[in-house]
Amino acid sequence: MVKFMINNKKYEADEGETVLRVLIQEGIDIPYLCYHEALSSYGACRLCMVEVIAGGGKGITTSCTLPVSEGLEIQTETPEVVQVRKVLLEMYLAEAPGSKKIQELAKKFGVVHSRFTDFDIEAKGDRCVLCGLCVRVCSEILDVGAINYAGRGTNTSINTPWYEISSSCIGCGACAYVCPADAIDIIDKDDERVMETWHRTTLKLKECVDSKQYFATEKGVNHVCSKCPDLPEEMKDLSPDSRMRKIAADFVLKPRRE
Ligand code: SF4
Ligand code: FES
């Protein structure tokens, strides 16, 4: 365990833990966009900035990439930190003017207008802040890599290869799940899932043999099953709810050994 200070209060955490994780665990308000507990730290959005005092010096850095260390002193609300945070939030308001989630986040930290845009914030539809969470969940967790950064400068976007329908997307929806800006649209209709944002890549949905509900794409289920070779065959055609019911029923009906 290492001991350190945050906002003049003493804390301790395991070595290797990041400052941002401690801030979140301790309920200390800090904005962030590109961090997710299931993914590696990336340091892209810069919103999680804090002031660090260590080794006789001080500076501002991203808390998601900063490991805790003995004697470290962190301040989350100095005038400099608050100023940097507000400028960044103004930039994100301009970059993703169509995202209600980003507007809510900015408002929570006192930012409702952006100097970096001359159009009405609601008028333009862009919602992506290029945080990269969707790209990383697709490659790090799903091992699919269907999307990535494309283009340069102000034309940078998250996209499928060649800006076309994706042949590798499995339609799992993890990208939309982690997106902090609500920027990815997925529509389930009848027996199809349409990944609207990924050039309307369309996948067949799988029906649960028990509940008769569509619960995931066929390609997604096959992908997960290929990663879990020990999954019993009869489980592969069941929705998560039906699977839980079956496990519970099997447990209750199983003869007990005295
Ligand atoms: S689509 Fe969402 S998760 Fe992906 S980069 Fe944009 S804001 Fe981040
Ligand atoms: S959460 Fe730390 S840089 Fe984005």
Side-chain angles (χ1 to χ4, degrees):
M1 289 290 244
V2 289
K3 295 186 175 131
F4 50 93
M5 307 276 283
I6 300 176
N7 296 341
N8 307 318
K9 268 182 73 182
K10 289 180 188 160
Y11 290 89
E12 51 182 42
D14 289 334
E15 211 165 326
E17 189 62 293
T18 64
V19 170
L20 180 60
R21 284 176 67 96
V22 175
L23 293 173
I24 294 169
Q25 277 157 20
E26 296 296 335
I28 299 169
D29 236 359
I30 184 111
Y32 57 89
L33 286 171
C34 71
Y35 166 79
H36 190 283
E37 60 187 349
L39 297 165
S40 56
S41 287
Y42 194 49
C45 74
R46 321 306 288 174
L47 262 184
C48 65
M49 290 279 193
V50 291
E51 185 179 273
V52 190
I53 303 162
K58 73 176 178 180
I60 292 182
T61 191
T62 49
S63 58
C64 67
T65 53
L66 180 68
V68 293
S69 59
E70 192 68 34
L72 192 70
E73 285 180 51
I74 300 292
Q75 293 288 341
T76 64
E77 296 297 328
T78 65
E80 291 79 11
V81 169
V82 170
Q83 180 62 19
V84 169
R85 185 183 291 162
K86 285 191 166 178
V87 171
L88 284 167
L89 285 166
E90 279 192 65
M91 288 167 64
Y92 285 123
L93 276 182
E95 187 165 22
S99 172
K100 288 264 181 293
K101 285 266 181 79
I102 298 300
Q103 287 168 26
E104 282 163 17
L105 182 72
K107 195 171 170 191
K108 183 175 169 198
F109 289 90
V111 178
V112 286
H113 299 293
S114 174
R115 285 167 290 169
F116 305 110
T117 179
D118 54 4
F119 47 80
D120 183 289
I121 276 185
E122 302 259 0
K124 206 165 162 270
D126 293 354
R127 287 174 285 160
C128 176
V129 289
L130 300 175
C131 70
L133 278 179
C134 54
V135 174
R136 285 184 293 136
V137 77
C138 192
S139 57
E140 281 182 32
I141 305 287
L142 276 310
D143 193 22
V144 171
I147 47 176
N148 212 330
Y149 286 90
R152 289 181 183 189
T154 53
N155 290 324
T156 306
S157 66
I158 305 296
N159 232 302
T160 54
W162 315 112
Y163 306 88
E164 288 174 353
I165 286 173
S166 169
S167 57
S168 49
C169 176
I170 59 170
C172 64
C175 51
Y177 180 76
V178 295
C179 177
D182 231 351
I184 298 170
D185 295 324
I186 298 175
I187 295 174
D188 285 355
K189 190 165 184 288
D190 301 327
D191 64 345
E192 283 185 341
R193 170 166 295 174
V194 182
M195 311 297 288
E196 289 283 340
T197 309
W198 311 134
H199 303 280
R200 307 204 80 241
T201 296
T202 301
L203 298 115
K204 275 262 171 272
L205 287 167
K206 191 171 178 74
E207 190 183 71
C208 170
V209 291
D210 177 45
S211 67
K212 306 296 176 204
Q213 304 283 318
Y214 291 112
F215 66 97
T217 62
E218 289 181 354
K219 202 171 172 183
V221 172
N222 291 342
H223 182 76
V224 171
C225 290
S226 73
K227 303 279 176 193
C228 310
D230 296 336
L231 193 68
E233 205 55 43
E234 70 271 19
M235 291 289 185
K236 296 179 181 172
D237 296 326
L238 293 173
S239 69
D241 283 351
S242 296
R243 223 172 289 153
M244 290 310 290
R245 270 199 298 278
K246 178 167 172 37
I247 291 167
D250 287 354
F251 179 76
V252 170
L253 294 175
K254 205 172 179 177
R256 302 263 162 84
R257 273 205 249 151
E258 295 304 323

